[in-house]
DNA sequence: TACTCGATCGGA
DNA sequence: CCGATCGAGTAA
């Protein structure tokens, strides 16, 4: 059974490290009728602090970005291009504006498609990433091997200038690479076939 | 109050 | 390649 991630995790590490750590975790959505859907996170981006020119909080605390200054563990949802909701997890300690953009879950590529598929909108902006809000993160023990994780510059942030646009803070992996191959054996204890 | 421009997507 | 679509941010 996947367990909800503890909020302390979201405040402990730098945003790029945290973004990597979210790969392979479940994004769990509880629908209004109580049905629980789990989606494996496969692609994320890190936005790290007021100095990061790609980060919305680069120009300081405003009505929209104030949620990014909260302690890690709440959602930051905003409207992009007038029609797409973007889902971010606020990270870091209080007053350090940072977040991880959820760009893709297994079977769904693109941040706008993720929110559309999960019915996530700005009503969740500022809500806790906890079961009570109906949208949270969970861990079933899967560890994505470091070697499978690829890092590239973030998408659509050329406005940030060459230095910040080039930061390799987009992380993703191909979940099909996790499949156990013939001739190899998953290293787990117990239930060894006779 | 006017004006600009997106952390995107789907269709020519 | 281009248009959709709208609210935050900025300047005035």
């Amino acid at each position: 059974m996947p367990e909800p991630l503890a909020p302390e995790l979201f405040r402990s590490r730098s945003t790029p490290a945290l973004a990597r750590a979210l790969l392979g975790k479940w994004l769990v959505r509880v629908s209004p009728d109580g049905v629980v859907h789990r989606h494996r996170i496969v692609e994320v981006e890190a936005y790290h602090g007021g100095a990061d020119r790609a980060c919305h909080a680069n120009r300081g605390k405003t009505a929209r970005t104030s949620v990014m200054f909260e302690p890690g563990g709440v959602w930051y949802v905003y409207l992009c291009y007038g029609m797409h909701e973007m889902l971010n997890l606020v990270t870091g300690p209080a007053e350090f504006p940072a977040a991880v953009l959820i760009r893709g879950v297994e079977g769904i590529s693109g941040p706008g498609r993720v929110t559309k598929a999960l019915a996530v909108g700005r009503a969740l902006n500022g809500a806790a990433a906890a079961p009570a809000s109906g949208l949270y993160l969970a861990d079933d023990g899967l560890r994505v091997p470091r070697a499978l994780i690829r890092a590239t510059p973030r998408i659509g942030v050329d406005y940030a200038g060459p230095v910040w646009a080039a930061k390799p803070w987009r992380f993703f992996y191909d979940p099909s690479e996790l499949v156990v191959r013939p001739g190899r054996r998953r290293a787990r204890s117990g239930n060894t076939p006779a």
Side-chain angles (χ1 to χ4, degrees):
Chain A
M1 278 293 281
E3 293 196 12
L5 297 182
E8 298 76 50
L9 171 70
F10 309 134
R11 304 162 193 161
S12 57
R13 283 179 274 180
S14 75
T15 319
L18 203 40
R20 269 194 302 264
L22 290 183
L23 293 175
K25 300 295 187 292
W26 293 111
L27 177 61
V28 186
R29 183 64 165 135
V30 184
S31 65
D33 52 6
V35 180
V36 176
H37 292 280
R38 303 177 311 176
H39 304 269
R40 190 78 80 177
I41 296 174
V42 300
E43 182 180 352
V44 294
E45 275 177 1
Y47 291 84
H48 189 240
D52 178 1
R53 288 188 52 196
C55 180
H56 285 166
N58 173 262
R59 305 257 175 180
K61 190 185 289 189
T62 67
R64 181 176 64 155
T65 63
S66 63
V67 66
M68 296 186 80
F69 289 77
E70 293 188 21
V74 299
W75 299 115
Y76 168 43
V77 186
Y78 70 93
L79 184 67
C80 188
Y81 293 101
M83 59 189 86
H84 303 296
E85 310 276 355
M86 301 285 115
L87 173 64
N88 301 254
L89 176 71
V90 172
T91 60
E95 298 309 317
F96 183 83
V100 174
L101 170 66
I102 309 296
R103 286 195 62 88
V105 298
E106 193 163 4
I108 305 173
S109 291
R113 290 182 187 155
V114 169
T115 54
K116 184 178 180 186
L118 304 206
V120 167
R122 280 163 287 173
L124 279 161
N125 189 47
S133 72
L135 185 67
Y136 61 100
L137 297 159
D139 183 4
D140 66 354
L142 174 71
R143 291 293 174 271
V144 180
R146 188 93 175 191
L148 289 190
I149 299 178
R150 328 238 323 168
T152 77
R154 294 166 289 183
I155 304 295
V157 297
D158 287 348
Y159 61 82
V163 173
W164 291 97
K167 298 283 183 187
W169 289 351
R170 169 186 177 232
F171 305 98
F172 63 97
Y173 75 103
D174 179 353
S176 71
E177 299 281 322
L178 287 172
V179 173
V180 179
R181 302 185 181 194
R184 304 239 170 174
R185 185 171 299 192
R186 194 192 295 258
R188 296 194 66 87
S189 60
N191 284 349
T192 305

